[in-house]
Amino acid sequence: MKQTDAEIRHAGRVVGVSGSQIKVQILTQTACSGCQAKAVCGASDGKTRIIPVRRPDDGSIAVGDEVNVIIRQGQGFKAVLIAYLIPLFILLVLLLTLPMFFENELVTGLGALGFVALYYLVLAQFRDKLNSGFIFTVEKKK
């Protein structure tokens, strides 16, 4: 993963092309070991991921092409906030406040975990709306 000009870039290969989008398979890179964001980045875990990306209007990208998938760094931080920091905040707040209402620690712990699970269920329900807020672009490698 390379970072330049507040962008996060991943090399990938186009595996599918449809009318308005292309599907890019992210390739595992050894450069991720030197990246500062590797602890929270899903691309550095050794698994291949397929990311849907809006198809450029010029139609120059075809299946098998090597491309760079680009997302602005601010959007990456937004994803970390939504996926990790907000649930952590919910968990900590509930673990600190629920004991005021319930004496049983089991109820407190399960209640806090239940609210975090509910948070992720709500995220899953609004997945399409959330995905529209993250804009990936591609550039063909030269």
Side-chain angles (χ1 to χ4, degrees):
M1 178 173 69
K2 261 193 278 184
Q3 285 181 254
T4 58
D5 300 328
E7 292 178 341
I8 300 172
R9 297 171 175 259
H10 286 285
R13 177 174 290 128
V14 177
V15 293
V17 178
S18 66
S20 63
Q21 80 176 21
I22 60 175
K23 293 188 182 204
V24 179
Q25 180 181 17
I26 298 297
L27 305 174
T28 305
Q29 298 177 349
T30 58
C32 289
S33 63
C35 178
Q36 296 171 350
K38 71 178 176 183
V40 293
C41 180
S44 63
D45 61 3
K47 297 178 185 174
T48 59
R49 302 208 186 266
I50 297 186
I51 298 175
V53 180
R54 279 191 209 143
R55 187 175 182 183
D57 293 335
D58 60 2
S60 64
I61 296 179
V63 174
D65 287 347
E66 298 288 328
V67 295
N68 284 321
V69 178
I70 305 165
I71 187 169
R72 287 193 337 250
Q73 192 172 22
Q75 289 181 331
F77 290 137
K78 178 181 171 186
V80 169
L81 178 73
I82 291 170
Y84 299 111
L85 297 180
I86 291 175
L88 177 65
F89 178 74
I90 292 170
L91 184 68
L92 291 176
V93 167
L94 289 173
L95 283 175
L96 295 173
T97 58
L98 285 179
M100 293 180 213
F101 304 105
F102 302 103
E103 291 182 19
N104 190 342
E105 292 176 357
L106 181 63
V107 172
T108 299
L110 290 176
L113 289 176
F115 273 99
V116 171
L118 179 64
Y119 171 79
Y120 281 117
L121 286 173
V122 169
L123 280 184
Q125 291 297 316
F126 293 103
R127 178 183 306 132
D128 292 336
K129 186 170 176 110
L130 282 171
N131 283 343
S132 67
F134 295 99
I135 301 169
F136 292 96
T137 56
V138 293
E139 68 180 13
K140 197 170 184 178
K141 286 187 178 179
K142 297 172 176 114

